[in-house]
């Protein structure tokens, strides 16, 4: 056991232990790869968690913006969800129209704590052919299947809330007259439920609109991730993913997202949920910082899982690097009469543990000085660089040892 511990933990530092790798079990390599995944993920996650409060506390402009916003918008938490008290409305969307009362220091505010699945966007469909000629979706529906292939249809979100009751009669008429028996039956079933009191008036209106979308916009309704028809949630998150701005705070009913410029001049992105905030708690400008940091803490498990996925995405590159280094080591191994590629591979893998520990520390340090994506990238670079340098040193030392031994054997008289 002591011999194995020396090999496994000291092989990175002493070649005499690394030389044992070729004869050791391949399970040592498997263990090293598993620990590498854990250490890289833990380093990236720990770095993000440890650095966020430092970045946030140093972002004076952003904190002033948040305190200003929560001074005008009261938030209350109940069972992991947030509701907002917004004077004169039910949402704030500075992406669609800047509001001087809520936008400060160049930061944009979005607050919409209505249910995601049933808060619909008043979207429209853009139908263009190869020459950018545009027709209405109504005209597009009348085309033959062959002619439809000439057009590209895309969804254009407006950021405005759709009142599904305004055209409810039209939706009902369409379902009753243009969808065949299936649409008629669906509408009849909804009317029956509404008549029995199983659906409220609002629920009935939502259900009719969803059925309408399913028939009128079949492929686009199915593409929606948060509801059964295009929602404002999709609009908001599309704005975030587009990279339109790196200066915002978005508060939704079950999550919040934000991005701010740190005191070091780079963007810090974050996401959070309210699972760690006390049910019944209320937040205003007085405890605005507690709301943000508490929400970020609540997303810890989610962020760890995301980093784990990203580390797995690195695996093909890392395995290629390991294989290339093993092939280079194999030639020296053959020269010294070692056990070919398998032995070289196990030897290279014996350097993975310490390389992972160094990358783990680098991930934490980098998180304080660069963006999350850059920390991820440079952590991978550090790991591969350390592994490469250590293997290169081993190859060089092995080569000179083997050359010296070969020269001695050649000069020794029989």
């Amino acid at each position: 056991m002591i011999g194995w511990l020396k090999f496994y933990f000291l092989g990175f530092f002493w070649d005499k232990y690394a030389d044992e790798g070729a004869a050791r079990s391949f399970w040592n390599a498997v263990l090293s790869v598993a620990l590498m995944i854990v250490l890289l993920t833990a380093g990236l996650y720990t770095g993000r968690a440890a650095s966020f409060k430092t970045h946030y506390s140093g972002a004076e402009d952003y904190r002033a913006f948040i305190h200003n916003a929560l001074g005008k918008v009261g938030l209350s938490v109940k069972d992991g969800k947030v509701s907002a008290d917004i004077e004169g409305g039910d949402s704030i969307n500075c992406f669609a129209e800047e509001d001087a009362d809520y936008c400060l220091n160049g930061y944009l505010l979005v607050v919409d704590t209505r249910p995601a699945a049933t808060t619909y966007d008043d979207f429209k469909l853009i139908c263009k052919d190869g020459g950018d000629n545009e027709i209405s979706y109504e005209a597009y529906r009348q085309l033959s299947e062959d002619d439809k292939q000439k057009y590209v249809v895309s969804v254009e979100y407006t950021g405005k809330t759709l009142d599904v009751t305004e055209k409810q009669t039209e939706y009902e008429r369409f379902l009753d007259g243009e969808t065949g028996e299936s649409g008629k039956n669906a509408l009849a079933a909804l009317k029956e439920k509404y008549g029995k009191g199983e659906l409220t008036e609002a629920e009935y209106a939502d259900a009719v609109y969803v059925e309408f979308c399913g028939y009128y916009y079949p492929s686009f309704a199915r593409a929606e991730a948060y509801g059964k028809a295009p929602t404002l949630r999709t609009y908001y998150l599309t704005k975030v993913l587009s990279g339109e701005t790196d200066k915002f705070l978005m508060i939704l009913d079950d999550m919040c997202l934000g991005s701010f410029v740190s005191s070091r001049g780079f963007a810090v992105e974050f996401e959070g949920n309210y699972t760690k905030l006390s049910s019944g708690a209320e937040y205003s400008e007085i405890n605005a910082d507690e709301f943000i940091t508490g929400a970020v803490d609540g997303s810890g498990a989610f962020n760890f899982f995301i980093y784990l996925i990203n580390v797995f995405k690195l695996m093909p590159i890392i395995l290629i690097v390991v294989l290339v280094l093993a092939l280079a080591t194999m030639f020296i191994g053959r020269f010294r009469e070692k056990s070919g590629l398998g032995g070289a591979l196990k030897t290279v893998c014996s350097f993975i543990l310490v390389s992972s520990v160094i990358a783990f520390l680098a991930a934490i340090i980098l998180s304080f000085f660069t963006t999350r994506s850059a920390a991820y990238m440079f952590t991978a670079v550090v790991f591969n660089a350390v592994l490469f340098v250590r293997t290169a040193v081993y190859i060089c030392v092995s080569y000179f040892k083997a050359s010296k031994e070969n020269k001695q054997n050649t000069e020794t008289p029989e």
Side-chain angles (χ1 to χ4, degrees), residues 18-72:
D19 284 339
E20 298 177 16
R24 292 280 182 176
S25 170
F26 196 77
W27 286 109
N28 291 307
V30 174
L31 176 61
S32 294
V33 171
L35 290 175
M36 173 198 68
I37 293 171
V38 172
L39 285 168
L40 294 186
T41 303
L44 291 166
Y45 170 75
T46 303
R48 177 194 176 282
S51 64
F52 177 76
K53 289 183 180 179
T54 299
H55 293 315
Y56 178 72
S57 63
E60 299 291 344
D61 286 352
Y62 190 61
R63 291 179 61 230
F65 155 72
I66 290 177
H67 282 257
N68 174 71
L70 294 195
K72 297 177 172 65

Side-chain angles (χ1 to χ4, degrees), residues 17 21-22 33 40 49 55 84 95 99 105 117 120 148 150 175 183 200 213 217 254 274 283 306 321 332 340 377:
Y17 297 122
V33 171
L40 294 186
H55 293 315
F95 281 139
D99 190 327
N105 299 328
Y120 303 108
K148 285 181 179 179
K150 301 174 184 177
L175 290 171
T200 65
C213 285
Y217 311 106
D254 59 351
Y274 317 121
Y283 293 91
I306 293 299
V321 170
I332 304 301
M377 179 184 69

Side-chain angles (χ1 to χ4, degrees), residues 5 35 65 128 166 220 237 280 307-308 331 342 347 392:
L5 291 172
L35 290 175
F65 155 72
K128 290 185 178 181
E166 284 188 0
F220 302 98
L237 297 184
Y307 278 126
L308 182 61
F331 291 105
T347 300

Side-chain angles (χ1 to χ4, degrees), residues 141 174-175 179 182-184 186 210-218:
R141 291 185 71 242
F174 176 82
L175 290 171
T179 58
S182 61
K184 288 182 179 180
V210 166
E211 287 292 339
F212 166 79
C213 285
Y215 285 99
Y216 197 74
Y217 311 106

Side-chain angles (χ1 to χ4, degrees), residues 74-91:
L75 301 177
S76 57
V77 180
K78 184 178 180 181
D79 299 329
K81 294 208 172 178
V82 157
S83 59
D85 180 15
I86 301 170
E87 185 177 350
D90 50 18
S91 66

Side-chain angles (χ1 to χ4, degrees), residues 168-204:
Q168 183 175 315
T169 303
E170 292 182 27
Y171 303 151
E172 291 173 332
R173 187 182 304 120
F174 176 82
L175 290 171
D176 198 39
E178 298 187 42
T179 58
E181 289 301 315
S182 61
K184 288 182 179 180
N185 292 338
L187 179 61
L190 291 176
K191 286 184 175 180
E192 183 179 356
K193 288 183 178 180
Y194 178 51
K196 291 180 178 179
E198 296 177 8
L199 294 176
T200 65
E201 185 175 351
E203 289 171 339
Y204 172 75

Side-chain angles (χ1 to χ4, degrees), residues 27-330:
W27 286 109
N28 291 307
V30 174
L31 176 61
S32 294
V33 171
L35 290 175
M36 173 198 68
I37 293 171
V38 172
L39 285 168
L40 294 186
T41 303
L44 291 166
Y45 170 75
T46 303
R48 177 194 176 282
S51 64
F52 177 76
K53 289 183 180 179
T54 299
H55 293 315
Y56 178 72
S57 63
E60 299 291 344
D61 286 352
Y62 190 61
R63 291 179 61 230
F65 155 72
I66 290 177
H67 282 257
N68 174 71
L70 294 195
K72 297 177 172 65
V73 179
L75 301 177
S76 57
V77 180
K78 184 178 180 181
D79 299 329
K81 294 208 172 178
V82 157
S83 59
D85 180 15
I86 301 170
E87 185 177 350
D90 50 18
S91 66
I92 300 166
N93 180 11
C94 290
F95 281 139
E97 183 178 348
E98 288 196 17
D99 190 327
D101 287 341
Y102 300 109
C103 299
L104 184 67
N105 299 328
Y107 286 96
L108 303 178
L109 178 68
V110 171
V111 180
D112 193 339
T113 59
R114 294 171 293 179
T118 55
T119 304
Y120 303 108
D121 184 274
D122 189 11
F123 73 100
K124 60 182 179 178
L125 294 180
I126 308 298
C127 309
K128 290 185 178 181
D129 64 10
D132 284 339
N133 295 312
E134 185 176 332
I135 62 174
S136 68
Y137 184 71
E138 289 73 15
Y140 171 83
R141 291 185 71 242
Q142 304 305 316
L143 298 176
S144 67
E145 290 302 317
D146 288 339
D147 287 338
K148 285 181 179 179
Q149 300 301 317
K150 301 174 184 177
Y151 286 83
V152 175
V153 184
S154 58
V155 180
E156 183 178 284
Y157 292 88
T158 64
K160 298 178 181 178
T161 306
L162 174 67
D163 182 354
V164 297
T165 63
E166 284 188 0
K167 296 183 178 181
Q168 183 175 315
T169 303
E170 292 182 27
Y171 303 151
E172 291 173 332
R173 187 182 304 120
F174 176 82
L175 290 171
D176 198 39
E178 298 187 42
T179 58
E181 289 301 315
S182 61
K184 288 182 179 180
N185 292 338
L187 179 61
L190 291 176
K191 286 184 175 180
E192 183 179 356
K193 288 183 178 180
Y194 178 51
K196 291 180 178 179
E198 296 177 8
L199 294 176
T200 65
E201 185 175 351
E203 289 171 339
Y204 172 75
D206 285 337
V208 168
Y209 175 67
V210 166
E211 287 292 339
F212 166 79
C213 285
Y215 285 99
Y216 197 74
Y217 311 106
S219 58
F220 302 98
R222 288 195 297 270
E224 169 63 36
Y226 301 99
K228 295 181 179 180
T231 64
L232 276 171
R233 173 70 63 93
T234 299
Y235 161 79
Y236 295 138
L237 297 184
T238 298
K239 283 288 187 181
V240 171
L241 294 174
S242 69
E244 184 174 312
T245 179
D246 60 0
K247 302 177 74 174
F248 70 93
L249 173 65
M250 183 181 297
I251 300 174
L252 306 177
D253 68 328
D254 59 351
M255 64 185 296
C256 66
L257 302 165
S259 178
F260 60 90
V261 178
S262 73
S263 59
R264 296 182 181 275
F266 59 84
V268 177
E269 301 170 350
F270 67 89
E271 57 283 317
N273 60 54
Y274 317 121
T275 55
K276 288 194 175 181
L277 301 181
S278 300
S279 187
E282 297 184 352
Y283 293 91
S284 64
E285 61 182 325
I286 299 173
N287 54 356
D289 294 338
E290 294 177 21
F291 173 77
I292 296 297
T293 56
V296 171
D297 286 344
S299 66
F302 171 78
N303 283 307
F304 187 88
F305 181 69
I306 293 299
Y307 278 126
L308 182 61
I309 292 175
N310 288 333
V311 169
F312 271 109
K313 289 180 180 179
L314 289 174
M315 289 304 296
I317 297 173
I318 291 173
L319 292 177
I320 289 172
V321 170
V322 170
L323 181 59
V324 170
L325 293 175
L327 287 169
T329 305
M330 180 183 68

